[in-house]
Amino acid sequence: MSFDHLRATYFEESAELLESAYAQLSDLAEGREDGETVHALFRAIHSIKGGGGAFGFDRLVRLAHGMETLLDLLREGTLPLDAAQVALLLRGADALADLLAAERGGTAVAAGFEDALMQAFRIAAEAPAGAPRVVAAPATAAPVDLPEGWRIDFRPRPELFRNANEPLLLVRQLQRLGPVTVTADLTRLPPLERMEAEDAYLDWHFVLQAAVPRGSVEEVFEFVADDCELTISPIAAEVVAEADTPQEAAPAEIAPVAAQAVAATTPQAAAASQPAAQSMRVDVQKIDRLVNLVGEMVIGQAMLVQHAGSLPPDLCPGLTAGLETLSQHLRELQEGVMSIRTQPVKSVFSRMPRLVRELSAQLGKDVRLVVTGESTEIDKTVVEQLADPLTHLLRNALDHGIETPDQREAAGKPRQGTVHLSAAQRSGRIVIELSDDGRGIDRARVLARARERGLVAPDAVLSESEIDELIFLPSFSTAATVSAVSGRGVGMDVVRRNIQALGGRIALESRFGSGSRFLLSLPLTLAVLDGLVVSVGREAYILPIAAIVESLRPRPEDIHAVVGRGDVLSIRGAYIPLLPLHRHFAVPEAEADPSRGIVVIVETDHAGQLGLLVDDLVGQQQVVVKSLEANYGRVEGIGGATILGDGRVALILDIPGLGLGQGRVAASAPRSPATPSALQ
Amino acid sequence: MAKRVMTVDDSRTMREMVAFTLRKAGFEVSEAADGKLALAALQAAPVDVVITDLNMPNMDGVALIRALRADPRMRATPILMLTTESEASKKAEGKSAGATGWLVKPFDPEKLIDVVKRVAG
Amino acid sequence: MDLPMNPNAQPASFGAQAADGAGGTAGQFITCTLDAAEFGIDIMAVREIKGWTETTAIPHAPSWIRGVINLRGVIVPILDLRARFGMAATSATPMHVVVIIQIGARLAGLLVDAVSDIIDVAPGEVRPVPEMGAQAPECLLSGLVPLERGMVALVSLDALLNFGEEVLAMPATLNA
């Protein structure tokens, strides 16, 4: 543990706190709050401030303090909560996020960045008249001439011990300042039969022989000042006006401690045996080690099953049953371990409201973001890598999808546009949906643009979904799509590539005039992959099922040689370039005749659909993804490796990366559309 | 034997800072994220000093102090409140619930060690 | 080869080679044979020695990369040491031996004919490798040790495992 570690903890925690603050603010904005919401929000901001103070992040602390002051009034009900305040607090949270990011990255935020906001918080908080202010008393300047020592009369109130304060400790503390003479005064000591064991009866007189400031002496008695009569007088200076008036003895609150203790024991015991939902932080590496180990066990189990299968079935009847039980437990164990790595999509969804706020302000649009299913869990790595594609899609929706309020009104729509972002788990995959009620895709314009760019043959007739697919082509962007917000550089092809790199797929449904809907389908985890094992020569490769469109044994008449481009496969009127894997990977002794092998049609992003020629299909199975890079390096077209049931290594193809070495294939050939139905 | 201290705070940063500071000073430190968890843990294994935040979910600092003072085994355990300047009224409430002393956030590490030593004896 | 026999008369370049990480030149070495030649592998880097098993070929790999194997769940590349030193590829049989080494966090297997001995080498016993040009396989050696039975060439494991760039020098991609 080091200071850097503490800092890292602080930033990590602050990010979590901000995330929850955003969630609470959105609850407030949507009227979903309960009694706890403002308190929780206050605590979040308070914690960010507290830690920030410890690290000397002064600007951040001031801003958080401004927010806290307002929140304090809101939570006490001194101020009524309205939309303007929620908006202001949201801006505050945004600014806190920026300041945090700057501190974390060691970059500077422009001076005065938060000034207007601070002012706004002050004005908002000052609205109620006479809000109580705690004014710190100015510290009185210490006298320049220190006395030779101090005489201290300490008369504790009986309940001194209730707070676990102890005169002996005070004496020890005084002794650290200098030599102390202690006299106990027994006058208040009652007869034994009237003595309460837990009350303080002794008065003390201390003489401290040390030329220290009064403050040092007062500090010793800091915690007991309210529980005693204390007189501190300098020894040398004979005549000193006693500035310290002894505390007036407030009536002692003598609580029936013993009775309380007995009564309280039972409920506390109950509380102890029923702890709140607990969580603990675990190093991701430890989890990954578990994931790996379980992966090993799955492989080991597959090997056992394979060996057992080669035995005569009646040789050992218990073996099959035992293996079956083992397999089932292993599957459960695997799911359990994988679930540790998962995380709610909330952590990425929660960044979106800010984006929508900022963009709608920038674009002059009125947009409401409705988020559902944010507690859906998905692999941590997937969550982290979802942020970019989602941000891009959301920008697109706001920039191109949602119209301005006037346009919407003219089109007979509500002035406020709505964007829905949802996540849900469907049959072992996570489906994320982003829909808007904007203008939808103008297919005539998309098609015209695609023809212009030579992406589609002039005479080709495309279906609506085929046209929608065009926007996923590399560097496809209609003139109208270039703007300050969405920019020109990153296209939908990159979004698709990002999603595919996560083993996912993306599809689009759109209705011109009434909106668009993007569907992202993602695997629950990256550590395990549903794969198709294929053989090429003596090698076996794994094709990720997610990328496979179909597989077939082509008829010789469907294979056509295209000069300079190799073979193409004609299928239902479309031409798909063929990539013989044995040639691509230089595997000897493989089937070279497509009509005697199998063609697996896969979806790549750079080359559209591609037919991979393999010798045979071996089977479909879940494989544990292993790194090839760790000990070797990156290999083009290979995404990783796995271990098959017989213990041998098989390489996993990186389908999106496969087309790369091929160059652009058959750019003018009409493409068969990616089937959105494959998403289900 | 090293004195045992428990730090109770819903802010992990704050907890870790307290723990870090005190461990360096030779204390044995345990952590709890709210009053309820702290109480459960303390009833299972008491410590020598408790340092608690006031504003926490589930069971706040004042309630924790009250609960600890009600337990005969922890009647004499020093309890320090970790407060901010803005929590003056809370501080008084904590005090009357039985807190031994207080520290103001953000704390100075030396002051923290000093105060813990002061109340732990 | 004409080698300076005076240990104090080592050329300056030798110092640099000697300081070269886990391939440092003094200490215990496992010696292995490739035909008649004997090579020394720093024993500190050796994780295990196992018999040859079939490998899975890696596309676009240099000829001296035999492929990868599954070493208790970890994917480990196997280098054909004979091919790496510019000789013909080994026709591996189950009698051949793979020495698993670890440099840093990186694991690799070296395919050799057999493991013959463990030798103790004192710093003064190591002779520099004569300059044979930067491309020569000799730059994969960190020193030579004359023994009664002949010369043992110490393998520079760092140089041997430093094949990242060569591996990455793939057919041009459109990635840029």
Side-chain angles (χ1 to χ4, degrees):
Chain A
M1 174 101 81
S2 65
F3 189 70
D4 284 345
H5 178 91
L6 285 174
R7 260 177 73 104
T9 301
Y10 171 69
F11 287 123
E12 200 179 300
E13 185 184 29
S14 295
E16 284 163 16
L17 289 167
L18 261 185
E19 199 177 289
S20 75
Y22 278 125
Q24 281 128 12
L25 281 167
S26 106
D27 284 350
L28 289 173
E30 305 273 328
R32 287 192 305 260
E33 77 267 25
D34 58 25
E36 240 312 278
T37 310
V38 179
H39 291 277
L41 182 57
F42 179 89
R43 277 198 303 272
I45 302 300
H46 189 73
S47 291
I48 292 174
K49 178 179 118 170
F55 293 106
F57 301 153
D58 295 340
R59 290 172 70 180
L60 197 144
V61 168
R62 272 202 309 277
L63 179 61
H65 185 75
M67 293 177 74
E68 205 183 271
T69 310
L70 178 57
L71 280 166
D72 199 29
L73 297 172
L74 293 174
R75 100 187 145 147
E76 283 167 3
T78 317
L79 266 185
L81 182 77
D82 59 30
Q85 274 149 353
V86 174
L88 181 60
L89 287 166
L90 274 169
R91 279 177 56 204
D94 291 350
L96 272 187
D98 291 340
L99 289 172
L100 275 168
E103 294 290 2
R104 184 176 210 159
T107 54
V109 173
F113 154 83
E114 68 277 41
D115 287 357
L117 205 51
M118 293 288 300
Q119 181 69 15
F121 280 120
R122 259 193 302 278
I123 292 167
E126 273 162 11
R133 290 280 181 281
V134 181
V135 181
T140 41
V144 182
D145 297 321
L146 294 174
E148 275 172 30
W150 298 91
R151 174 173 295 115
I152 302 143
D153 297 319
F154 173 58
R155 284 168 55 88
R157 298 217 311 250
E159 55 275 21
L160 178 83
F161 300 136
R162 307 273 144 82
N163 290 20
N165 277 305
E166 164 68 69
L168 176 63
L169 297 178
L170 298 173
V171 175
R172 285 195 191 147
Q173 196 68 21
L174 272 181
Q175 277 174 331
R176 290 170 59 179
L177 298 174
V180 182
T181 316
V182 184
T183 320
D185 178 348
L186 307 183
T187 43
R188 282 199 301 132
L189 197 65
L192 190 59
E193 65 275 14
R194 282 201 283 127
M195 216 183 326
E196 288 290 334
E198 298 194 344
D199 283 358
Y201 296 111
L202 301 184
D203 294 341
W204 301 89
H205 306 291
F206 307 116
V207 174
L208 170 66
Q209 308 214 309
V212 294
R214 174 186 288 268
S216 306
V217 181
E218 283 174 340
E219 200 187 356
V220 172
F221 295 92
E222 183 187 10
F223 297 152
V224 295
D226 294 342
D227 300 321
C228 68
E229 286 174 33
L230 186 66
T231 320
I232 303 173
S233 42
I235 291 173
E238 290 295 339
V239 188
V240 172
E242 197 55 69
D244 270 341
T245 44
Q247 318 288 325
E248 78 273 28
E253 312 157 39
I254 301 170
V257 175
Q260 216 176 32
V262 173
T265 311
T266 330
Q268 279 163 19
S273 63
Q274 199 182 35
Q278 290 190 28
S279 63
M280 61 187 281
R281 306 197 148 257
V282 181
D283 192 338
V284 177
Q285 284 182 353
K286 285 189 188 167
I287 299 173
D288 287 346
R289 204 156 67 223
L290 272 184
V291 170
N292 277 335
L293 264 179
V294 173
E296 291 319 310
M297 291 176 70
V298 171
I299 291 163
Q301 176 259 345
M303 286 185 201
L304 275 180
V305 169
Q306 200 162 356
H307 288 308
S310 62
L311 296 175
D314 50 349
L315 187 69
C316 185
L319 183 66
T320 322
L323 276 177
E324 211 145 283
T325 316
L326 178 70
S327 308
Q328 192 174 338
H329 289 319
L330 254 183
R331 251 197 312 278
E332 281 169 29
L333 177 63
Q334 193 173 19
E335 275 167 25
V337 170
M338 292 300 177
S339 74
I340 305 176
R341 262 197 68 96
T342 61
Q343 173 175 78
V345 290
K346 193 174 174 179
S347 58
V348 56
F349 275 21
S350 63
R351 301 183 211 170
M352 300 303 149
R354 176 177 186 181
L355 187 69
V356 170
R357 279 198 304 284
E358 289 178 350
L359 280 181
S360 12
Q362 198 180 331
L363 295 164
K365 294 179 179 176
D366 185 3
V367 184
R368 191 167 72 105
L369 176 69
V370 181
V371 179
T372 52
E374 50 202 330
S375 57
T376 308
E377 300 210 330
I378 190 166
D379 190 281
K380 190 173 154 61
T381 318
V382 179
V383 171
E384 283 158 4
Q385 292 178 22
L386 261 181
D388 282 349
L390 272 187
T391 305
H392 192 82
L393 290 177
L394 201 56
R395 278 174 186 278
N396 267 335
L398 262 76
D399 198 4
H400 312 313
I402 305 279
E403 314 87 334
T404 63
D406 291 345
Q407 286 168 337
R408 290 182 64 88
E409 200 162 28
K413 295 180 179 179
R415 289 180 65 83
Q416 186 180 52
T418 305
V419 174
H420 281 267
L421 177 62
S422 73
Q425 186 172 345
R426 265 181 237 159
S427 58
R429 290 178 79 79
I430 298 293
V431 177
I432 291 177
E433 199 178 314
L434 184 85
S435 61
D436 66 69
D437 64 350
R439 56 171 74 93
I441 287 186
D442 185 347
R443 297 202 173 84
R445 201 191 226 156
V446 168
L447 187 57
R449 177 72 178 171
R451 290 214 164 102
E452 191 184 305
R453 301 207 127 203
L455 297 166
V456 174
D459 53 345
V461 180
L462 277 73
S463 71
E464 288 196 343
S465 59
E466 281 171 324
I467 297 173
D468 291 349
E469 276 297 309
L470 292 174
I471 67 164
F472 291 112
L473 291 181
S475 64
F476 177 91
S477 68
T478 60
T481 63
V482 178
S483 77
V485 171
S486 298
R488 185 194 287 273
V490 184
M492 291 299 294
D493 60 317
V494 175
V495 172
R496 169 169 277 184
R497 189 171 168 75
N498 286 346
I499 297 297
Q500 284 179 338
L502 295 172
R505 306 193 65 161
I506 180 168
L508 164 67
E509 292 167 14
S510 182
R511 182 168 299 187
F512 186 49
S514 55
S516 306
R517 187 160 76 115
F518 284 96
L519 280 172
L520 279 64
S521 156
L522 295 153
L524 283 172
T525 170
L526 296 180
V528 175
L529 176 128
D530 280 313
L532 179 69
V533 187
V534 300
S535 65
V536 180
R538 283 192 326 205
E539 302 292 339
Y541 293 95
I542 312 289
L543 307 183
I545 294 280
I548 296 174
V549 179
E550 64 178 304
S551 57
L552 52 101
R553 190 186 293 273
R555 295 173 301 171
E557 59 268 35
D558 292 335
I559 311 291
H560 308 277
V562 178
V563 178
R565 290 199 194 278
D567 290 348
V568 298
L569 170 71
S570 107
I571 172 172
R572 293 185 289 274
Y575 293 98
I576 295 172
L578 276 186
L579 177 67
L581 272 190
H582 72 273
R583 203 178 303 156
H584 194 67
F585 288 156
V587 183
E589 300 164 45
E591 184 57 65
D593 178 356
S595 65
R596 291 173 59 187
I598 302 276
V599 171
V600 182
I601 299 175
V602 294
E603 189 71 46
T604 73
D605 54 345
H606 276 254
Q609 289 194 352
L610 202 57
L612 301 180
L613 174 61
V614 302
D615 289 9
D616 208 352
L617 306 184
V618 178
Q620 188 174 329
Q621 71 179 71
Q622 266 207 342
V623 299
V624 179
V625 181
K626 302 263 173 192
S627 166
L628 185 62
E629 271 175 69
N631 292 318
Y632 184 70
R634 250 186 62 79
V635 179
E636 183 234 320
I638 302 294
T642 192
I643 296 161
L644 295 177
D646 61 3
R648 290 201 49 186
V649 178
L651 301 180
I652 302 169
L653 298 197
D654 169 32
I655 301 290
L658 253 191
L660 289 176
Q662 281 291 98
R664 293 290 182 71
V665 189
S668 58
R671 283 149 213 286
S672 167
T675 43
S677 63
L679 277 170
Q680 275 125 41
Chain B
M1 204 179 105
K3 294 266 185 192
R4 292 155 305 166
V5 181
M6 171 176 280
T7 164
V8 191
D9 205 310
D10 56 335
S11 158
R12 188 158 53 91
T13 308
M14 206 40 86
R15 272 196 325 265
E16 286 193 7
M17 301 219 21
V18 171
F20 176 65
T21 308
L22 292 178
R23 282 188 189 123
K24 273 209 311 198
F27 291 93
E28 198 178 288
V29 187
S30 55
E31 303 178 26
D34 65 40
K36 218 164 158 184
L37 297 172
L39 185 59
L42 288 168
Q43 280 168 339
V47 297
D48 299 309
V49 180
V50 176
I51 301 175
T52 179
D53 182 26
L54 290 181
N55 199 340
M56 292 182 293
N58 293 329
M59 178 189 265
D60 72 8
V62 175
L64 172 67
I65 296 167
R66 259 190 213 111
L68 290 177
R69 286 294 177 239
D71 185 323
R73 290 172 303 165
M74 281 171 277
R75 201 88 68 74
T77 304
I79 306 175
L80 294 169
M81 301 177 275
L82 204 49
T83 68
T84 51
E85 290 290 1
S86 55
E87 291 174 317
S89 61
K90 273 265 185 180
K91 189 169 105 178
E93 214 185 314
K95 189 87 208 304
S96 74
T100 310
W102 55 86
L103 276 156
V104 175
K105 281 194 262 194
F107 61 84
D108 166 27
E110 278 173 25
K111 167 96 175 166
L112 172 71
I113 295 168
D114 190 59
V115 167
V116 171
K117 282 186 177 156
R118 197 197 309 172
V119 298
Chain C
M1 276 187 277
D2 186 28
L3 298 171
M5 293 310 287
N6 176 1
N8 300 321
Q10 289 164 349
S13 66
F14 178 66
Q17 279 173 326
D20 140 35
T25 40
Q28 282 197 316
F29 289 78
I30 285 187
T31 65
C32 51
T33 53
L34 290 176
D35 300 329
E38 201 169 2
F39 293 86
I41 298 170
D42 185 352
I43 203 165
M44 297 308 288
V46 176
R47 286 291 153 266
E48 67 181 272
I49 295 168
K50 61 196 298 289
W52 164 259
T53 49
E54 279 300 315
T55 58
T56 296
I58 299 179
H60 318 305
S63 61
W64 41 268
I65 295 277
R66 292 296 288 245
V68 288
I69 62 160
N70 160 27
L71 184 73
R72 288 184 300 282
V74 181
I75 310 291
V76 178
I78 305 298
L79 280 68
D80 183 339
L81 208 55
R82 179 183 272 105
R84 188 69 186 94
F85 284 125
M87 301 178 259
T90 308
S91 25
T93 69
M95 301 305 292
H96 281 80
V97 170
V98 172
V99 181
I100 305 288
I101 56 165
Q102 180 171 10
I103 298 295
R106 223 163 154 195
L107 284 169
L110 307 181
L111 168 61
V112 298
D113 290 351
V115 168
S116 51
D117 200 1
I118 292 177
I119 55 169
D120 285 299
V121 178
E125 294 178 86
V126 183
R127 310 282 171 253
V129 183
E131 285 291 329
M132 303 280 280
Q135 292 307 308
E138 275 74 13
C139 66
L140 297 171
L141 302 180
S142 61
L144 302 173
V145 180
L147 298 179
E148 276 174 30
R149 62 172 185 265
M151 184 71 71
V152 172
L154 303 184
V155 179
S156 166
L157 300 177
D158 284 336
L160 201 63
L161 287 206
N162 188 21
F163 55 71
E165 280 169 34
E166 285 170 80
V167 168
L168 287 175
M170 292 290 116
T173 70
L174 300 180
N175 240 342

